[in-house]
Amino acid sequence: GVIGMTALLLNTTLTTEQREDAETVRRSAESLLTVINDILDFSKVESGKLELERSEFSLRETIGGALKTLAPLAHGKRLEFGYHVMPDVPDALVGDPGRLRQVVLNLAGNVIKFTAVGEVAVEVSAEEIGDDRVSLRITVRDTGIGIPPEKQRLIFEAFAQADGSTTRQYGGTGLGLAISRQLVELMGGRVWVDSAPGVGSAFHVALLLE
């Protein structure tokens, strides 16, 4: 209700100060909604109540649709932002497109948040293609602040971030990566990161889909 009414308000004639205040309300409401959704998803996984869907879907539509919602955030920070699905990757797959979309959104949204300059790129490739299954690799690369080696395992734990000061600077619940790890593991895959401070990071997801 708050987000919807604020959107209507922003479509009216406002002074510059009023528009800035309304935009602050909208951003605050969206941040709160993200926190609520993260906690609910985390609770579902922890209690074993989260069930995966199994349906046919288009991989390119799913990935592209998810990343389009993040484009304004990346462009607002003047980052180069794009994605590429390798030509040999099958498009018609069977799995849970909603949860796959959520993982991609969490990973890409996270790296955009921690990247001040440069680029964020998403690449989807096939490590192995069989008659009825494909081994997918989804990689999200950034030119952000990087993560020290001793912190790389920690960031996939609940309520954890690589550094306490970044929590204040960048915000967030510290749940996004933990939920992504849990969802990927529920789908029978794994997620990990290659990173170095000051160089950037590459988050990898390996999944086997029909």
Side-chain angles (χ1 to χ4, degrees):
V2 173
I3 292 172
M5 294 307 294
T6 305
L8 292 176
L9 180 63
L10 286 166
N11 284 330
T12 65
T13 302
L14 302 171
T15 66
T16 301
E17 185 177 359
Q18 288 171 333
R19 184 164 297 279
E20 289 177 354
D21 290 345
E23 286 283 2
T24 300
V25 172
R26 181 186 60 80
R27 286 194 300 270
S28 298
E30 289 177 347
S31 295
L32 180 58
L33 183 63
T34 298
V35 172
I36 293 169
N37 284 336
D38 281 351
I39 292 172
L40 289 172
D41 280 339
F42 183 75
S43 298
K44 285 180 185 177
V45 174
E46 288 290 284
S47 63
K49 300 295 185 183
L50 193 147
E51 296 183 1
L52 294 177
E53 178 185 339
R54 189 175 183 278
S55 62
E56 297 179 5
F57 68 96
S58 164
L59 177 68
R60 286 165 178 79
E61 284 185 10
T62 300
I63 299 291
L67 296 177
K68 282 179 182 177
T69 65
L70 293 174
L73 178 62
H75 295 159
K77 298 183 69 175
R78 299 184 182 278
L79 298 174
E80 291 288 332
F81 182 54
Y83 73 98
H84 179 59
V85 181
M86 293 298 186
D88 64 330
V89 176
D91 189 60
L93 300 177
V94 176
D96 190 329
R99 294 305 177 182
L100 179 60
R101 185 183 301 111
Q102 185 176 357
V103 168
V104 172
L105 278 173
N106 278 349
L107 293 179
N110 188 73
V111 299
I112 289 173
K113 180 169 65 173
F114 288 96
T115 303
V117 294
E119 66 177 12
V120 171
V122 180
E123 182 179 287
V124 184
S125 59
E127 295 190 313
E128 186 177 346
I129 303 174
D131 291 336
D132 57 357
R133 289 175 181 265
V134 58
S135 179
L136 283 184
R137 170 76 67 90
I138 303 171
T139 300
V140 183
R141 302 181 189 278
D142 67 56
T143 54
I145 58 177
I147 306 164
E150 67 275 12
K151 300 288 187 180
Q152 290 178 17
R153 183 177 296 274
L154 173 68
I155 61 172
F156 291 104
E157 301 300 322
F159 302 108
Q161 291 183 322
D163 186 84
S165 62
T166 61
T167 304
R168 292 188 292 274
Q169 181 178 353
Y170 296 99
T173 61
L175 280 175
L177 293 180
I179 292 170
S180 296
R181 175 183 60 81
Q182 291 171 324
L183 290 175
V184 169
E185 289 176 354
L186 276 175
M187 290 187 280
R190 64 188 186 101
V191 59
W192 70 99
V193 63
D194 295 321
S195 183
V199 177
S201 304
F203 288 85
H204 305 279
V205 173
L207 281 176
L208 188 66
L209 292 175
E210 294 180 47

